[in-house]
Amino acid sequence: MKIAIIGGGIGGLATALAMTQAGYAVTVLERSNQLVDLGAGITLAPNATRVLYHLGLGPGLEETSVTPPKTEYRHYRTGAVIMRMMTKNFREIYGAPYMRLHRWDLQHAMITRLAQIAPGALRLGAHVERLEPRGDHVALAFADGRTETADLVVAADGIRSAIRESLFSPAPPEFTGFVAWRGLVDTADLPPHLRESAVAFGQGRHINRYLVRRGELLNFVAVAQRDQWEAEGWTIAAPLDEFLAEFSSFDEGTRTVISRPVRGQVFKWGLFGRPWLERWSSGRVVLLGDAAHPMLPFLGQGAANAIEDAMILTRCLTAETSPERAFDLYQRTRGARVRGATEQAARRGDRYLGEPNEDSLKGDEPGVQYAYDAVAGPLVG
Ligand SMILES: Cc1cc2nc3c(=O)[nH]c(=O)nc-3n(C[C@H](O)[C@H](O)[C@H](O)COP(=O)(O)OP(=O)(O)OC[C@H]3O[C@@H](n4cnc5c(N)ncnc54)[C@H](O)[C@@H]3O)c2cc1C
């Protein structure tokens, strides 16, 4: 069976690794000519790392990741602790660790592993423009005019998925009312007490900061609200003074961190969403990751759910007698789980809005997501 995976992001690469490990022949079609370092961090909770260890990535990720002893949720103005999550024991509690990584270190580990187990499977500069389902196969048309066929297609082409819009739902991504800024700080430029993980929140703004790359860098993501957003993309440079003015009411420690990004560089982008989609497959085409179910980043579970999708979809293909039946099982196994995470991420955004107090986050702890076992858990909804 010839499987084409559209998109070489975290979801597409995880799918390629899981399917190759299960014995399938896959090709990853990525439109970029080069996969580049976007200069950002990522949190991988145990539900994601469980899968990544199963795919042989654990030792590589351990070399660069950071497991903070704790994450504190704090009052934006006073810095007072509102909730504390002890992350250092997660390996014992959930059987898999909690990791903070430079996004590029994750992507690089995935690409390297794929090149070892499926040399040549990743094709760069392969922009899929159109799919034509044709019964027992799918025709793929590329932007450069070439065509080819596959027995089944996994569309992991991200939140702006053209495949979703052409085959599933034409509704475009919608601006969610949140804008985000990100930056990396060299920890050598920070006093020791600020080299730590913390989320400061309140009055509609929040800043999540955490160590990555063996603790050499500290990543921050800051979020505020806006009525409108026009620009597209992840790499729009933001003036540092404008950014600092937006967060001038935050506590001194947080302000010190965000005032020292490497090369004074901060980037901003708008957060978009899509209406919930009930059905992620049509014939021999199936959606995965953000293409199927984008979610707000406030729970740190978007990539984690793409990684879970990859593992479950692979297991469904192995367990079932046809791709259509496998996609059905995938939908039944994943639908409620992902919808729950999507809704919890949105609720968490709402909880960051008011004046923080000890009830602000009660009953909505992120830990409820972590026990999910995509590697060995049951396949059914
Ligand atoms: C501020 C922020 C912070 C986040 N933090 C976290 C976090 O800490 N933890 C977490 O788990 N998640 C986090 N996420 C979410 C996470 O980044 C996404 O959910 C995840 O990257 C989705 O992976 P994906 O593979 O589905 O899509 P993407 O990573 O978007 O990959 C899609 C790929 O498809 C390619 N592509 C698109 N169209 C085509 C085409 N037509 N032909 C060929 N290739 C194509 C693109 O070039 C891209 O490489 C965060 C998101 C944001 C916005």
Side-chain angles (χ1 to χ4, degrees):
M1 184 153 55
K2 198 172 150 194
I3 301 176
I5 298 166
I6 304 177
I10 292 167
L13 291 172
T15 306
L17 289 168
M19 289 189 175
T20 303
Q21 191 164 302
Y24 295 100
V26 302
T27 306
V28 181
L29 305 166
E30 167 56 46
R31 69 177 167 195
S32 312
N33 292 319
Q34 212 184 345
L35 291 173
V36 289
D37 175 359
L38 289 169
I42 189 161
T43 294
L44 291 175
N47 52 308
T49 57
R50 184 175 292 112
V51 177
L52 298 177
Y53 271 78
H54 177 75
L55 298 178
L57 294 165
L61 297 181
E62 281 171 14
E63 282 173 24
T64 60
S65 64
V66 175
T67 294
K70 61 181 189 318
T71 285
E72 288 181 344
Y73 293 81
R74 299 183 187 155
H75 189 285
Y76 73 104
R77 188 166 38 74
T78 65
V81 176
I82 304 215
M83 188 179 105
R84 181 172 292 129
M85 189 170 71
M86 299 308 292
T87 43
K88 70 170 193 269
N89 302 328
F90 279 14
R91 204 188 275 263
E92 285 111 80
I93 302 170
Y94 300 107
Y98 185 83
M99 288 179 166
R100 256 82 189 259
L101 284 145
H102 193 294
R103 225 182 165 88
W104 178 247
D105 294 341
L106 171 64
Q107 225 176 337
H108 185 257
M110 295 177 104
I111 296 165
T112 307
R113 176 87 183 133
L114 187 62
Q116 283 164 358
I117 64 172
L122 174 60
R123 266 168 51 194
L124 299 177
H127 185 168
V128 179
E129 208 166 58
R130 225 175 43 254
L131 294 183
E132 270 178 42
R134 291 184 186 158
D136 65 355
H137 69 280
V138 183
L140 296 93
F142 292 85
D144 62 7
R146 285 177 310 113
T147 56
E148 59 186 71
T149 62
D151 298 312
L152 64 94
V153 173
V154 181
D157 51 342
I159 186 167
R160 299 199 171 270
S161 170
I163 307 302
R164 173 179 171 131
E165 285 179 27
S166 63
L167 293 185
F168 293 85
S169 159
E174 295 162 356
F175 178 54
T176 59
F178 293 102
V179 288
W181 292 256
R182 73 171 188 279
L184 289 165
V185 184
D186 193 331
T187 41
D189 294 338
L190 291 174
H193 73 282
L194 293 179
R195 299 172 192 170
E196 51 150 20
S197 296
V199 184
F201 71 98
Q203 305 294 3
R205 294 184 179 80
H206 74 272
I207 300 181
N208 185 1
R209 65 175 197 258
Y210 53 88
L211 297 169
V212 297
R213 195 165 284 167
R214 296 174 288 269
E216 293 156 20
L217 294 168
L218 188 140
N219 175 72
F220 65 78
V221 178
V223 178
Q225 292 176 290
R226 288 281 185 281
D227 292 334
Q228 278 183 316
W229 182 258
E230 304 290 328
E232 260 191 44
W234 256 71
T235 44
I236 303 160
L240 185 60
D241 51 354
E242 180 192 298
F243 165 60
L244 295 178
E246 180 81 37
F247 293 91
S248 59
S249 58
F250 275 60
D251 67 280
E252 194 187 338
T254 306
R255 281 188 284 120
T256 302
V257 170
I258 65 173
S259 67
R260 296 180 188 179
V262 174
R263 289 186 290 280
Q265 261 181 349
V266 182
F267 299 97
K268 66 176 173 180
W269 72 104
L271 301 184
F272 282 73
R274 298 244 199 201
W276 179 255
L277 191 64
E278 288 295 339
R279 183 87 206 154
W280 303 339
S281 66
S282 167
R284 294 281 180 119
V285 181
V286 65
L287 300 175
L288 181 143
D290 278 7
H293 49 70
M295 64 181 75
L296 283 165
F298 307 139
L299 209 56
Q301 283 287 327
N305 271 270
I307 292 167
E308 289 178 1
D309 283 354
M311 192 66 232
I312 296 285
L313 179 61
T314 304
R315 290 178 58 206
C316 291
L317 271 180
T318 309
E320 281 295 0
T321 48
S322 72
E324 290 83 351
R325 289 175 63 97
F327 295 167
D328 224 55
L329 184 58
Y330 165 68
Q331 186 78 57
R332 281 185 283 123
T333 307
R334 297 295 296 149
R337 156 82 180 159
V338 181
R339 191 160 197 171
T342 306
E343 289 171 358
Q344 196 188 350
R347 270 199 312 275
R348 185 152 275 256
D350 292 341
R351 284 170 185 250
Y352 286 150
L353 300 181
E355 178 71 10
N357 59 46
E358 54 182 38
D359 291 329
S360 298
L361 301 171
K362 264 204 190 121
D364 210 15
E365 285 77 10
V368 297
Q369 302 295 333
Y370 302 164
Y372 185 85
D373 186 354
V375 175
L379 296 175
V380 268

